[in-house]
Amino acid sequence: MLKLTRAVKNTFSGLALMGLVGTSGLAGIAGITGVAALATLPATATAQAQQVNAKAPPNDFVKTVADNALAALRADAQAKAGDLERINALVNEYILPYVDLEKTTRLSAGRYWRQATPQQQQELVDAFKGTLIRTYSGALEQADDVSEIKPLPFRGDPQAEDVVVRTQLTQRNGPPVNVDYRMENSPNGWKIYDLNVEGIWLIQNYRNQFAQQINQNGIDGLITALNQHNAR
C-alpha cells in the first residue's frame, strides 16, 4: 500500500496544490509533483483565462497557471458541485500541461526506472498520471475563497535551468505553510516536477514507497497497484 507519511498527510490536509496536492481522491497514494496552490487563491480570480507564458519569470509562471485553473473551476457549475469527472477534465486541461510527468515518474522510481523496459516505463507514467489527476482533483474539491498563496522573493538566477519557486500559503484555520515548487527550464519553457511542503520533498516520499512496492511485487506490481487505486 502506498500512502502519505503522517507528517505529509497532516500538512496536506485541506490544501489544494496546483500540480499537486490534497488528500481527497488519493485513495491512499501519496500526493505529488506539483505546482502552485490552487484552492488557496483569492476569490477575485475571473473565468477569463490568462495567457500562460511558460518562459516568463518563474514566480509569474506559477501564479498564472494557478489563477487559470482556479478561475476555470469557479466558472464551471458541474465542477463546483463536486462532479469529479468534470474536475478531472479541468485538471487535465489547466494543470497537467505544465507538469513534467515523465520526469516526476522517473525520479520517483529512482534506480528502478533504468531496470524497467520501455513499455514498463510508459505504463508507469500512464498509471502515475492517473494518480496525479486524482491528487489535483482532490485539491480542487477543497477550494475556498479565504486562503491565499503569496509568492516569496525569488532567490537565484531566473535564467537557470532548474529553479525553486518559494511561496507561503495562508489558511483559514492555521499558521502559514511554506510550499516550494521545483521546475526545469525545458525547450518549451518551465515544467514543474517536484513539490516541497514544510521541508518534505514529495518525489523523495514517493521514491521510498515505490521502492518498497517494487521490492515486494516488482515494477509490474507497482503499475498494477497504481491502476487499481486509480480505478476506485
Side-chain angles (χ1 to χ4, degrees):
M1 173 68 69
L2 303 173
K3 58 184 178 181
L4 292 166
T5 63
R6 181 180 300 274
V8 175
K9 188 170 184 178
N10 288 344
T11 302
F12 289 177
S13 182
L15 298 183
L17 301 177
M18 201 185 48
L20 359 37
V21 178
T23 56
S24 175
L26 290 182
I29 300 181
I32 166 192
T33 247
V35 249
L38 280 176
T40 54
L41 294 173
T44 54
T46 68
Q48 182 65 42
Q50 304 174 61
Q51 180 67 39
V52 176
N53 180 5
K55 298 186 178 182
N59 280 19
D60 295 344
F61 165 74
V62 166
K63 181 157 176 52
T64 301
V65 173
D67 283 345
N68 284 348
L70 187 58
L73 171 72
R74 288 175 172 159
D76 191 298
Q78 290 177 285
K80 287 173 65 177
D83 185 329
L84 280 179
E85 184 175 347
R86 183 57 191 151
I87 294 174
N88 289 348
L90 293 178
V91 168
N92 201 49
E93 179 178 357
Y94 288 94
I95 299 176
L96 291 193
Y98 308 105
V99 175
D100 190 337
L101 292 171
E102 190 275 341
K103 183 167 186 173
T104 300
T105 308
R106 172 166 49 84
L107 294 179
S108 296
R111 63 187 176 88
Y112 298 102
W113 179 261
R114 296 188 297 275
Q115 300 175 16
T117 66
Q119 180 178 345
Q120 287 176 319
Q121 290 176 350
Q122 186 57 56
E123 289 177 355
L124 185 56
V125 170
D126 292 341
F128 201 37
K129 177 181 178 180
T131 299
L132 300 186
I133 288 177
R134 290 166 65 90
T135 298
Y136 299 138
S137 297
L140 283 171
E141 281 186 283
Q142 302 175 47
D144 67 54
D145 299 335
V146 177
S147 299
E148 180 181 0
I149 185 171
K150 298 179 179 179
L152 300 177
F154 185 78
R155 294 176 178 174
D157 181 4
Q159 302 301 319
E161 295 301 309
D162 198 281
V163 303
V164 174
V165 171
R166 301 177 305 123
T167 70
Q168 191 170 74
L169 181 66
T170 61
Q171 306 177 80
R172 182 190 300 270
N173 297 308
V177 177
N178 294 315
V179 184
D180 301 337
Y181 308 96
R182 178 161 282 153
M183 310 190 301
E184 181 179 41
N185 196 357
S186 73
N188 295 321
W190 295 114
K191 288 280 190 176
I192 302 164
Y193 68 90
D194 201 3
L195 175 72
N196 180 319
V197 177
E198 293 293 346
I200 300 175
W201 285 103
L202 296 188
I203 282 179
Q204 183 61 52
N205 187 65
Y206 268 127
R207 185 178 295 148
N208 295 336
Q209 298 177 59
F210 279 17
Q212 181 180 6
Q213 182 75 20
I214 291 172
N215 284 331
Q216 293 175 351
N217 302 301
I219 294 172
D220 286 335
L222 172 60
I223 294 169
T224 298
L226 290 171
N227 285 328
Q228 287 176 342
H229 282 292
N230 292 340
R232 291 182 180 175

